Amino acid sequence: MHILLETDRLTLRAVTEADTDDLLALDNDPAVTRFINGGRPTTREEIRTCTLPRFLHDYPGLGTRGYWAAQEREAGAFLGWFAFRPLAEHSPAEVELGYRLRREAWGRGYATEGSRALIRKGFTDLGVRRVTANTMTVNAKSRRVMEKCGLTFLRHFTEEWPEEIEGSEHGDVEYALTRAEWERGAGTGAGS
């Protein structure tokens, strides 16, 4: 099992096909996918043909994968996943941060802990120069995680989505953090 990093409470490891049932359960909790697809259920076939190939993909420019299974470090329980994938296949310069955690893991600081660790790894070991993250404008909890990690609000934008989701009429937001800002502490101590 390839482990990317460990924190005090988390292990971020490579996703495997053995994670199919956990990924299916995660994507079939309507509260978890509310801001993704409006809470629509996901099929095992979608996990097998869409999710797993994306999660098992290696990015040459980063020298690693872009998606990581998150589990409790002590008990080993599956908590969800984190994305830290380059925007350009062959360049580590700019990566997109994302996360999706089981409802039982919400409000415990896991999203912030895992995101900060990925940002640190990206800036210190992987050659990343800029981290971005997007969410729906109305997703206040995800926006708060981004802010706690030192990312700052850049812009509000609207995109055409294949299906309308409650709150999508308010558009999306983009946050970002550069390595230089992180090294200065970005006002949060994230770089120290």
Side-chain angles (χ1 to χ4, degrees):
M1 169 174 53
H2 174 68
I3 295 175
L4 177 68
L5 61 85
E6 290 185 311
T7 68
D8 289 342
R9 301 179 303 151
L10 297 173
T11 297
L12 298 189
R13 61 158 177 84
V15 173
T16 69
E17 289 185 20
D19 294 311
T20 299
D21 288 341
D22 286 324
L23 293 169
L24 184 63
L26 180 69
D27 280 6
N28 277 289
D29 181 335
V32 170
T33 59
R34 175 179 166 219
F35 295 113
I36 308 301
N37 65 17
R40 177 184 51 77
T42 300
T43 66
R44 181 174 292 281
E45 183 67 10
E46 286 174 292
I47 297 293
R48 190 182 70 69
T49 61
C50 297
T51 304
L52 278 174
R54 190 173 74 237
F55 284 18
L56 299 177
H57 180 70
D58 290 316
Y59 290 87
L62 204 54
T64 190
R65 290 191 178 167
Y67 293 87
W68 302 93
Q71 61 187 56
E72 289 177 323
R73 189 169 173 185
E74 295 293 316
F78 178 86
L79 297 174
W81 55 260
F82 285 85
F84 199 71
R85 65 170 193 85
L87 297 182
E89 178 88 7
H90 296 282
S91 173
E94 188 169 4
V95 299
E96 181 179 32
L97 172 70
Y99 32 81
R100 187 174 304 169
L101 299 176
R102 291 176 40 218
R103 191 181 338 182
E104 299 81 13
W106 294 357
R108 299 179 62 193
Y110 289 131
T112 302
E113 185 174 328
S115 295
R116 283 181 174 169
L118 282 167
I119 291 166
R120 174 178 274 107
K121 176 95 174 158
F123 287 150
T124 61
D125 297 342
L126 301 177
V128 172
R129 294 195 304 263
R130 184 172 186 258
V131 175
T132 66
N134 301 314
T135 192
M136 288 177 63
T137 300
V138 296
N139 190 347
K141 290 179 181 179
S142 190
R143 292 178 72 171
R144 182 65 187 130
V145 168
M146 294 171 194
E147 292 164 357
K148 285 181 180 178
C149 293
L151 281 78
T152 56
F153 174 79
L154 282 185
R155 68 185 178 112
H156 177 269
F157 64 99
T158 46
E159 288 186 346
E160 291 295 321
W161 289 96
E163 50 193 283
E164 192 170 317
I165 300 170
E166 182 182 340
S168 63
E169 68 274 12
H170 300 289
D172 296 288
V173 290
E174 180 181 9
Y175 284 72
L177 176 67
T178 66
R179 182 173 19 199
E181 291 165 340
W182 179 80
E183 288 170 346
R184 288 193 304 270
T188 66
S192 46

